[in-house]
Amino acid sequence: EPEVTQTPSHQVTQMGQEVILRCVPISNHLYFYWYRQILGQKVEFLVSFYNNEISEKSEIFDDQFSVERPDGSNFTLKIRSTKLEDSAMYFCASSGVTVYGYTFGSGTRLTVV
Amino acid sequence: AQSVSQHNHHVILSEAASLELGCNYSYGGTVNLFWYVQYPGQHLQLLLKYFSGDPLVKGIKGFEAEFIKSKFSFNLRKPSVQWSDTAEYFCAVNAQGTDKLIFGTGTRLQVFP
């Protein structure tokens, strides 16, 4: 069964540093998403991406965040200057036909110290 | 704004017991409804989904859910749980016309042999 792959599985970074979380979506999927889950809280939508541009973003997704599909296979989430409250599990997802066919990755646990 | 409530935060059952996990949502328009499961250390997996038609939907691993529009509910059920059902269960809602999923806070299910 096709998978969405996320790397690294766990990243520790110092406050103020930039981090890039990487995702390899399923190869024929066209819609890409990032979600996050702060420990003990609900999974929250960050951003959706289609046709090389952001199609929807949440209030959480401020100027510190950006997404990119640099080479046609990877889908990255960049946090420019991390804050302690960015510590969370970040999930990438992709789908072929919008919400009907979501597949989630295993997540990257980001710890900001 | 849409929201999803899962009233049971932690459920403990013995094997063969019946399961019902509550999910209520608030949104006035047409919705698509989902239940996801997250086994320890793994990614979110789709259990079942409702888009339209028969409000009783059957998913994988013997799970089913019933959409009751008048109650804004989409409760998950399984007649006889197994130890392998130990996991976290998330209800999610999507407003038709958008790509994002709105998740509940999740219910942790522990099944003891």
Side-chain angles (χ1 to χ4, degrees):
Chain A
E1 187 178 332
E3 289 186 348
V4 174
T5 306
Q6 288 188 245
T7 54
S9 57
H10 189 190
Q11 180 154 359
V12 181
T13 189
Q14 289 201 324
M15 193 169 54
Q17 294 296 304
E18 174 183 286
V19 294
I20 297 176
L21 308 183
R22 302 180 193 280
C23 169
V24 179
I26 293 173
S27 62
N28 61 349
H29 280 184
L30 301 175
Y31 300 85
F32 313 109
Y33 311 88
W34 284 101
Y35 286 76
R36 80 171 184 191
Q37 185 181 25
I38 295 171
L39 189 64
Q41 299 186 25
K42 61 178 69 177
V43 177
E44 301 172 290
F45 169 80
L46 290 179
V47 66
S48 59
F49 190 85
Y50 170 72
N51 201 24
N52 279 323
E53 59 183 29
I54 291 172
S55 48
E56 192 172 356
K57 61 182 181 179
S58 71
E59 294 171 353
I60 304 166
F61 195 87
D62 61 20
D63 292 343
Q64 294 283 43
F65 292 89
S66 63
V67 289
E68 195 177 28
R69 190 156 160 77
D71 56 11
S73 62
N74 290 283
F75 179 53
T76 61
L77 174 70
K78 183 193 291 186
I79 309 175
R80 282 189 189 77
S81 177
T82 50
K83 302 189 274 286
L84 294 175
E85 53 265 36
D86 293 326
S87 295
M89 182 74 90
Y90 288 81
F91 294 102
C92 174
S94 69
S95 69
V97 281
T98 67
V99 71
Y100 301 106
Y102 261 69
T103 301
F104 281 89
S106 300
T108 294
R109 180 170 297 286
L110 176 66
T111 303
V112 182
V113 296
Chain B
Q2 306 150 49
S3 66
V4 179
S5 297
Q6 291 183 245
H7 312 295
N8 317 104
H9 298 295
H10 190 187
V11 173
I12 301 172
L13 294 173
S14 299
E15 275 194 320
S18 64
L19 171 72
E20 180 160 1
L21 301 182
C23 173
N24 288 88
Y25 68 93
S26 67
Y27 181 68
T30 304
V31 294
N32 301 309
L33 297 156
F34 305 81
W35 275 98
Y36 282 87
V37 61
Q38 187 175 28
Y39 298 103
Q42 296 189 29
H43 61 279
L44 290 160
Q45 298 176 41
L46 182 66
L47 269 181
L48 48 80
K49 58 192 176 189
Y50 171 81
F51 295 145
S52 64
D54 188 346
L56 184 63
V57 292
K58 295 193 184 299
I60 60 172
K61 308 188 182 198
F63 286 91
E64 64 178 33
E66 185 176 12
F67 172 48
I68 302 179
K69 191 174 180 181
S70 60
K71 294 185 178 180
F72 297 88
S73 70
F74 190 57
N75 291 355
L76 181 71
R77 299 194 291 250
K78 185 171 184 178
S80 177
V81 294
Q82 300 172 309
W83 175 79
S84 58
D85 293 325
T86 294
E88 187 126 20
Y89 292 80
F90 295 92
C91 181
V93 167
N94 158 256
Q96 282 197 359
T98 72
D99 286 345
K100 66 183 180 186
L101 295 174
I102 306 296
F103 283 85
T105 49
T107 296
R108 184 175 167 218
L109 173 65
Q110 278 184 291
V111 180
F112 288 97

